[in-house]
Amino acid sequence: MLAAVMAAAVCFGAPAGEIERGDAAPRFVAKTLEGKRITSDSLKGKVVLIQFWATWCPYCKKDEAALDRVTRAFEKDGLVVLAVDMGEPRRKVKKYVEESGRPWKVVLAEDTTLAAICEAKAYPLYVVIDREGVVAGTRHGAAGEAALRRLLAKAGLGEEE
């Protein structure tokens, strides 16, 4: 069933189902490619930016440099980026991460419930959670650094333009 859902996934487009600004953030458990366990409870007090992506997605690749810049700009302020790869083999994702140098915590969709909770069906999809554990905003599709900064400003990082 999961394979069928993943096979139907597309880059950019559909909105994020039921998760909306102002909702309590979903409770979740995730395991990174390195085997580190992360939970919603372990991230309390941090701003969390969740990116749903895939190695084959041109829009996801387009946003990599922008996501890297905002990560480096705000990690000292408590930003944690969870990059949830959608339905690809572990070996392929691991190789891509090693070659591209993605600095984020990379999680496979099979190692978390986040994709189902957020109804991620189009990529990239961003969900930002503020320090109080509330969904501060979502972003559908690649839009560059300015859009990511505006999204993070909704969670109290930086300034809204």
Side-chain angles (χ1 to χ4, degrees):
M1 178 71 164
L2 182 60
V5 171
M6 295 303 132
V10 295
C11 284
F12 189 64
E18 298 300 315
I19 207 154
E20 295 180 9
R21 185 175 186 177
D23 288 349
R27 295 186 53 81
F28 66 88
V29 175
K31 185 174 74 173
T32 67
L33 282 178
E34 295 79 31
K36 181 179 179 189
R37 186 174 187 267
I38 298 172
T39 67
S40 47
D41 289 338
S42 71
L43 296 174
K44 281 194 174 158
K46 306 254 186 213
V47 172
V48 181
L49 179 62
I50 305 166
Q51 178 203 40
F52 297 95
W53 68 289
T55 63
W56 51 263
C57 172
Y59 303 104
C60 301
K61 288 178 184 176
K62 179 182 173 190
D63 251 9
E64 277 187 20
L67 185 56
D68 185 45
R69 286 190 295 274
V70 298
T71 300
R72 294 185 195 292
F74 295 113
E75 63 190 347
K76 67 185 177 310
D77 299 319
L79 175 65
V80 174
V81 177
L82 293 180
V84 181
D85 178 85
M86 298 302 294
E88 296 182 282
R90 183 175 307 276
R91 186 175 10 206
K92 179 178 183 175
V93 176
K94 209 167 197 167
K95 181 178 180 194
Y96 183 86
V97 169
E98 288 167 2
E99 291 173 356
S100 67
R102 289 176 69 102
W104 314 290
K105 295 176 186 337
V106 178
V107 176
L108 299 181
E110 67 190 48
D111 293 332
T112 184
T113 54
L114 279 168
I117 292 168
C118 295
E119 295 189 24
K121 296 177 182 137
Y123 321 122
L125 166 64
Y126 298 96
V127 177
V128 67
I129 301 168
D130 69 18
R131 295 177 196 283
E132 286 76 45
V134 174
V135 174
T138 61
R139 171 83 201 152
H140 313 287
E145 185 174 350
L148 289 173
R149 285 180 176 270
R150 283 191 299 274
L151 182 60
L152 290 172
K154 292 176 182 181
L157 290 181
E159 299 176 15
E160 285 201 55
E161 296 172 358

